[in-house]
Amino acid sequence: MTATTGHDIPARAAGTEPIIEIAHLTRRFTSRRSETVALDDVSLSVRPGEFVTIAGPSGCGKSTLLKVVAGLTRATEGDVRLYGKPVTGPQREIGFAFQRSALLEWRGVRKNILLQAEMRGMDRRRAEERADHLIALTGLTGFERALPHELSGGMQQRVALCRALLHEPRVLLMDEPFGALDALTREQMNIEMNRIWRETGTTVVLVTHSVPEAVYLGSRIVVMSPRPGRIVETLEPGLPDRREYGPTLADPRFTAAAERLRDLLGASHAPE
Ligand SMILES: Nc1ncnc2c1ncn2[C@@H]1O[C@H](COP(=O)(O)OP(=O)(O)OP(=O)(O)O)[C@@H](O)[C@H]1O
Ligand SMILES: [Mg+2]
């Protein structure tokens, strides 16, 4: 493993200002009965065009971290900036994909995607063009009018992804978006995710429990400790942005990073 980022697109050259800046973030949840330290002194900068994956044991604060960046929950201490501005409330200029696809059961694929446009008051024609482009990009052509219950889990997840990308957010936050899928569908979603990331230039932060997913997708892999969540290590395998699935999994840079990640996550499960 080298310290290089492996970026092969010049627009993603190093030296650009961070798009997300987290400095000494601590998040405590306090109730009358107890206090939980979910995140403890977490610092992380994400540059435009990066794909950062976050892996860590259950309850270490991964969802909380994404929610703080999205402005859905506040920091107890520390400084969090998005596009250079402090995050003080819910952020509109991002896409957020949740673990469950949360589609409206009575709306077809295209209308579920266009919900994003309605909530934002986007220009209807532009939104429709964009929805059709994303439908084609994610292989949903022919299913525009299908209802969620007529779709497979992977297709539902793709609809949710289109909705999160409709307004062309520069930043996409994803919280275990493929966790509910079977292994093969998940692989296919990973391949599509890599392609969409390359084709759209979106900056992505994705939380996952899966070692292969974290290494296959991430240009940088952030590993967290059990609660209170801290960053224990950051891996940069140096794989190229364009990744054929099979050859990548056999690449020594992939296997070395996957082994290291497994060790780190395994160590965090070891008895005290
Ligand atoms: N709104 C809340 N009120 C109180 N405690 C909370 C709240 N949200 C999260 N927590 C606590 O913060 C800790 C971190 O939770 P979080 O959901 O961020 O973990 P996670 O790493 O996403 O876990 P998982 O991998 O299981 O999804 C947990 O102990 C959780 O109980
Ligand atoms: Mg979570």
Side-chain angles (χ1 to χ4, degrees):
M1 225 178 305
T2 69
T4 57
T5 58
H7 283 172
D8 54 10
I9 296 176
R12 294 193 185 134
T16 17
E17 289 297 308
I19 202 159
I20 301 172
E21 256 183 300
I22 301 166
H24 305 292
L25 165 64
T26 293
R27 177 56 163 118
R28 285 188 289 271
F29 292 104
T30 331
S31 74
R32 242 178 292 164
R33 279 172 290 123
S34 62
E35 182 181 80
T36 306
V37 183
L39 295 165
D40 185 21
D41 196 17
V42 169
S43 296
L44 175 69
S45 284
V46 180
R47 293 184 298 276
E50 271 197 295
F51 198 131
V52 173
T53 51
I54 300 180
S58 183
C60 75
K62 303 180 296 297
S63 296
T64 304
L65 184 62
L66 289 193
K67 285 183 195 157
V68 172
V69 174
L72 299 174
T73 189
R74 60 186 172 75
T76 309
E77 287 163 30
D79 187 37
V80 179
R81 285 166 190 266
L82 186 66
Y83 311 121
K85 295 199 191 100
V87 171
T88 51
Q91 298 295 300
R92 283 174 63 83
E93 302 314 310
I94 55 165
F96 204 121
F98 297 90
Q99 181 165 11
R100 301 187 55 174
S101 53
L103 303 176
L104 299 180
E105 285 299 328
W106 59 91
R107 278 187 165 219
V109 163
R110 198 161 182 267
K111 287 199 167 160
N112 255 296
I113 298 171
L114 287 169
L115 185 68
Q116 179 80 268
E118 290 162 28
M119 294 190 313
R120 291 170 183 275
M122 278 170 73
D123 175 69
R124 180 95 198 161
R125 247 198 47 199
R126 207 179 71 89
E128 285 178 350
E129 278 172 15
R130 171 93 180 138
D132 292 335
H133 169 69
L134 288 167
I135 284 170
L137 189 69
T138 53
L140 288 166
T141 308
F143 290 89
E144 289 84 350
R145 296 168 72 96
L147 295 171
H149 77 267
E150 298 171 309
L151 303 173
S152 71
M155 292 164 89
Q156 292 179 17
Q157 211 59 62
R158 278 181 262 166
V159 178
L161 184 60
C162 291
R163 192 170 62 191
L165 288 170
L166 188 76
H167 54 301
E168 299 184 66
R170 286 160 63 205
V171 169
L172 178 61
L173 307 177
M174 306 181 86
D175 193 357
E176 297 191 53
F178 312 130
L181 304 178
D182 66 87
L184 273 179
T185 312
R186 190 171 192 160
E187 265 180 37
Q188 271 152 13
M189 288 302 299
N190 283 179
I191 294 164
E192 271 175 37
M193 199 56 229
N194 173 260
R195 185 172 56 83
I196 291 168
W197 169 61
R198 285 186 282 108
E199 288 178 10
T200 58
T202 310
T203 307
V204 186
V205 181
L206 179 142
V207 164
T208 180
H209 275 120
S210 155
V211 168
E213 184 168 280
V215 181
Y216 173 73
L217 286 176
S219 43
R220 197 145 56 98
I221 303 132
V222 172
V223 192
M224 292 181 64
S225 68
R227 195 177 52 247
R230 299 189 181 109
I231 294 176
V232 287
E233 198 161 311
T234 299
L235 309 175
E236 294 193 47
L239 291 161
D241 284 355
R242 189 185 190 86
R243 300 170 189 190
E244 302 295 332
Y245 199 76
T248 301
L249 263 61
D251 188 305
R253 292 168 291 188
F254 178 95
T255 47
E259 195 176 334
R260 180 69 188 146
L261 178 55
R262 223 169 249 123
D263 280 353
L264 287 166
L265 294 178
S268 68
H269 288 304
E272 284 170 11

